[in-house]
Amino acid sequence: MKIIFFAYSLLFLSTPTDLVNGDGYKIGDVAIDFSLPNVDGEMVSLADFEDAKGFILIFTCNTCPYSVAYEDRIIALDMAYKSKGYPVIAINPNDPAAIDGDDLADMKVRATEKGFSFPYLQDVGQQVYPQYGATKTPHVFVLQKEGKNNIVRYIGAIDDSSRKPNKVKKRYVEQAVDALLAGKSPSTTTTKAIGCSIKTL
Amino acid sequence: MKPNRLLPILLFAIYSFAQTTEVASFDYQQLQPLLHQNSESVQVVNFWATWCAPCIKELPYFEELNKLEGVEVLLVSLDFPKHKQKRLIPFVEKHKLQSKVVHLDDENENYWINEISTTWSGALPATLIYSQNRRGFYEQSFTKSELFKEVKSYF
């Protein structure tokens, strides 16, 4: 029976349409923790952040122009919210064998160049992003700690103007985290933006 | 006139000709009618960008589709507005794209992604296929055979 379940889960993971059609997390779901390598060589888990109230978890990468366009805005989010208890955790979901420029060494170079103030982790074996239901980079999941669980409170875009930073009108992630910090539910819980498909072999 | 004196003139002529390539920039309101044409042909709308490697890989398949009787292809570029002149237009020229190409320049992604398809998460590449009685949205890359098979199912 175990073998059948294993075979089923392999089948499930290898069917891209299943991921696309929203089998990932929904608002209110408990998000899994993970242990992934950071650009500094350490392994990082959500459980390491004992004092955090939650997380701004962002699937992003080196090679997607939309991700690059958001790098400064991601750094600004970490600067603004780490001290308030919501650090940014960035995860690169791309299979480095499927695209040049997204292996851990490349990530380390980019993190150093840009001065990333947050962990930039590699989704080794691509086990994490399918469980979250990330489909693209960048793709944000705001998590709120409840006891030992991390509850999904917001899924989507960082703001409403990916291609023109000077035209941003709605800062979705900021609004969501501000609401959580004020003990409220975010008024907007899911949004969409253009991004790059996650690269797999 | 010696041939070497002709060369700059010739180059200028080619350059001038090349510069005539135009790609219209639309907001979603302007694009929307092109996604709802009441046509006898099967309409194939591919959302792509010059920086999107899987998009570029499948672009020749869409170009081939466009040659088929009863199929019309529209390539909607999501290149950054600042890259339209430097990257998008040179790409269209270099690859001599025959399908209609438009540039979607509309910041309100959270609105129009859902308008195009509620099943679209926003990842590229993505393709809309529709006929008078059927619509389908595909957030995926296609192989040539997959694409042709899917489009033929709309006839």
Side-chain angles (χ1 to χ4, degrees):
Chain A
M1 203 59 184
K2 268 184 183 168
I3 292 167
I4 295 171
F5 273 125
F6 182 64
Y8 176 75
S9 60
L10 277 182
L11 187 74
F12 180 76
L13 283 175
S14 63
T15 310
T17 48
D18 281 338
L19 304 179
V20 166
N21 292 339
D23 284 327
Y25 292 142
K26 294 180 178 57
I27 302 303
D29 285 353
V30 176
I32 53 145
D33 200 351
F34 42 76
S35 181
L36 296 174
N38 189 12
V39 286
D40 66 3
E42 301 291 319
M43 298 298 285
V44 171
S45 297
L46 298 178
D48 299 339
F49 297 80
E50 287 175 7
D51 297 334
K53 294 172 185 165
F55 301 93
I56 302 170
L57 189 67
I58 307 179
F59 291 92
T60 189
C61 70
N62 278 15
T63 52
C64 172
Y66 278 85
S67 292
V68 173
Y70 269 115
E71 281 172 341
D72 292 339
R73 284 175 271 181
I74 293 171
I75 293 169
L77 276 175
D78 189 56
M79 293 296 187
Y81 290 99
K82 182 154 54 187
S83 58
K84 293 179 182 172
Y86 278 81
V88 166
I89 310 285
I91 300 179
N92 186 333
N94 287 342
D95 181 348
I99 184 163
D100 279 344
D102 266 331
D103 68 18
L104 198 57
D106 301 316
M107 289 165 58
K108 192 173 179 176
V109 169
R110 194 61 189 159
T112 308
E113 276 174 0
K114 289 298 293 185
F116 284 178
S117 54
F118 45 83
Y120 186 23
L121 315 177
Q122 185 178 38
D123 188 0
V124 177
Q126 299 188 301
Q127 296 294 309
V128 175
Y129 90 77
Q131 301 195 58
Y132 276 76
T135 59
K136 59 189 169 155
T137 54
H139 204 159
V140 184
F141 293 76
V142 172
L143 312 179
Q144 183 183 34
K145 253 193 208 176
E146 273 188 14
K148 288 195 170 178
N149 289 333
N150 291 297
I151 311 295
V152 178
R153 297 296 184 203
Y154 171 83
I155 302 172
I158 291 167
D159 57 42
D160 66 349
S161 183
S162 58
R163 292 186 285 179
K164 293 178 185 169
N166 55 342
K167 293 279 178 73
V168 171
K169 291 190 202 81
K170 290 177 188 162
R171 300 173 194 277
Y172 301 128
V173 169
E174 288 183 29
Q175 287 170 359
V177 178
D178 285 343
L180 294 172
L181 286 169
K184 296 173 188 163
S185 295
S187 53
T188 302
T189 54
T190 52
T191 59
K192 287 184 179 181
I194 293 294
C196 306
S197 60
I198 290 170
K199 304 300 184 289
T200 54
L201 276 184
Chain B
M1 212 179 243
K2 288 176 186 173
N4 63 351
R5 287 193 185 165
L6 268 175
L7 193 65
I9 297 169
L10 190 67
L11 284 176
F12 181 74
I14 291 168
Y15 179 77
S16 310
F17 176 73
Q19 287 299 299
T20 60
T21 301
E22 279 182 26
V23 174
S25 282
F26 288 169
D27 61 18
Y28 180 70
Q29 201 183 352
Q30 292 167 307
L31 177 70
Q32 203 260 0
L34 298 179
L35 310 183
H36 298 272
Q37 299 190 79
N38 186 16
S39 166
E40 297 280 321
S41 300
V42 176
Q43 304 290 319
V44 180
V45 184
N46 175 241
F47 297 89
W48 68 294
T50 59
W51 46 259
C52 165
C55 304
I56 302 311
K57 192 179 170 193
E58 65 180 10
L59 214 50
Y61 316 147
F62 288 95
E63 282 285 276
E64 279 192 50
L65 260 187
N66 191 49
K67 292 177 192 160
L68 291 185
E69 194 75 29
V71 179
E72 281 177 35
V73 173
L74 173 65
L75 303 175
V76 179
S77 157
L78 287 156
D79 276 274
F80 285 61
K82 64 182 176 187
H83 293 157
K84 182 183 167 185
Q85 297 298 332
K86 277 187 184 168
R87 298 191 190 171
L88 174 60
I89 289 176
F91 184 94
V92 171
E93 285 169 354
K94 186 183 168 195
H95 296 274
K96 300 184 173 65
L97 297 184
Q98 298 302 304
S99 308
K100 183 180 171 74
V101 180
V102 298
H103 178 231
L104 179 53
D105 182 3
D106 191 321
E107 285 117 57
N108 200 357
E109 292 171 7
N110 190 43
Y111 168 71
W112 55 255
I113 290 171
N114 278 323
E115 286 291 307
I116 291 168
S117 173
T118 53
T119 65
W120 188 12
S121 82
L124 296 182
T127 301
L128 167 71
I129 306 175
Y130 69 96
S131 62
Q132 281 170 331
N133 50 23
R134 195 180 147 204
R135 284 178 91 80
F137 194 83
Y138 305 83
E139 181 173 312
Q140 64 173 80
S141 300
F142 281 105
T143 64
K144 188 179 165 184
S145 61
E146 282 170 352
L147 180 64
F148 276 67
K149 190 180 162 198
E150 200 59 41
V151 170
K152 279 175 181 164
S153 74
Y154 283 75
F155 279 99

